[in-house]
Amino acid sequence: MRQWLRALPTFPGPLPEFDPGSAPTDPVTLFTTWLREAAGAGVAIPHAAVLSTADEHGRVSGRTLILKDLHASGWVFATQCTSPKGQDMAANPYAALTFFWPAVGRQVRVQGGVGRLFAEAGAADFLARPPGSRAACRTGAQSQPLGSRQEYWDAYAQSLAEVEADPDLVAPHWAAYAIRPEWVEFWQATTDRGQVRLRYTAADGAWTSGLRWP
């Protein structure tokens, strides 16, 4: 296994150049540029990220979800507040997002405090989803034991009928969250494997930035 893993290719060439000396003064601007470039390079689902949380005992859990917005409140995503990640964030309001775009050899890490946005933000996110997604979000208790696939499909069919009957129906436990980063780090692979790491750190309402050792 070790030999097979080491023989797997990593990043294709050529890779984009990244000059940290010409980087913008805030991470939101650079992230937006990198996200659009990843999409332009054909990266599948470039707005997908791994959300890492920890419970009250420090046990870490990770899962992939979709970035829903990016603004002054932070990096926004949505989930059921009763889900395992929702319970983690209630007990330990600190989280991280990791974006990885292998086609361009880039990774972005976002880490900081996390909190729920106003109920209106969660409702708006829920109602923007297609009917099938809304129905699935209202079906059962996320991550709880499931007796059979048929049990799921029966519950889903009922939920879909309710959603189609009332397009304004919102899942009661659906919520939008925002990570307000303490730091955001940009990582660029290079053909010589030297790597470039630039970290933005929040301080007194402003951003400072500096290089990190690979």
Side-chain angles (χ1 to χ4, degrees):
M1 175 59 74
R2 179 178 180 275
Q3 292 178 344
W4 180 77
L5 289 172
R6 292 185 65 86
L8 291 174
T10 51
F11 301 109
L15 295 173
E17 296 289 335
F18 174 45
D19 176 14
S22 61
T25 56
D26 70 280
V28 173
T29 300
L30 182 54
F31 178 84
T32 302
T33 298
W34 276 27
L35 178 62
R36 293 185 181 278
E37 290 178 352
V43 173
I45 323 178
H47 53 329
V50 174
L51 171 70
S52 300
T53 59
D55 65 16
E56 68 271 22
H57 304 294
R59 292 187 290 255
V60 179
S61 180
R63 75 290 287 166
T64 302
L65 45 66
I66 299 295
L67 181 71
K68 292 303 186 68
D69 203 357
L70 177 59
H71 48 55
S73 296
W75 271 252
V76 179
F77 58 92
T79 187
Q80 295 183 40
C81 61
T82 54
S83 67
K85 52 186 172 294
Q87 295 176 40
D88 281 358
M89 291 183 290
N92 184 2
Y94 200 81
L97 286 171
T98 304
F99 298 83
F100 181 50
W101 304 311
V104 289
R106 286 174 172 173
Q107 175 180 258
V108 179
R109 299 165 61 203
V110 181
Q111 188 163 309
V114 63
R116 289 179 63 174
L117 300 180
F118 292 114
E120 293 80 6
D125 173 84
F126 188 82
L127 294 175
R129 292 167 172 262
S133 176
R134 279 179 275 153
C137 292
R138 298 182 65 254
T139 301
Q142 188 181 100
S143 298
Q144 295 304 305
L146 174 65
S148 68
R149 287 294 291 166
Q150 188 59 49
E151 180 183 351
Y152 169 80
W153 287 120
D154 291 344
Y156 175 82
Q158 179 180 343
S159 180
L160 182 60
E162 293 170 352
V163 166
E164 291 175 338
D166 184 359
D168 295 324
L169 193 62
V170 176
H173 302 298
W174 196 256
Y177 292 82
I179 292 183
R180 299 169 178 84
E182 294 180 357
W183 55 263
V184 183
E185 185 174 286
F186 295 80
W187 182 93
Q188 172 70 69
T190 61
T191 53
D192 61 2
R193 298 183 180 270
Q195 308 170 7
V196 180
R197 289 175 63 187
L198 178 67
R199 179 177 291 192
Y200 291 80
T201 304
D204 299 323
W207 292 100
T208 60
S209 63
L211 294 172
R212 297 276 168 153
W213 280 93

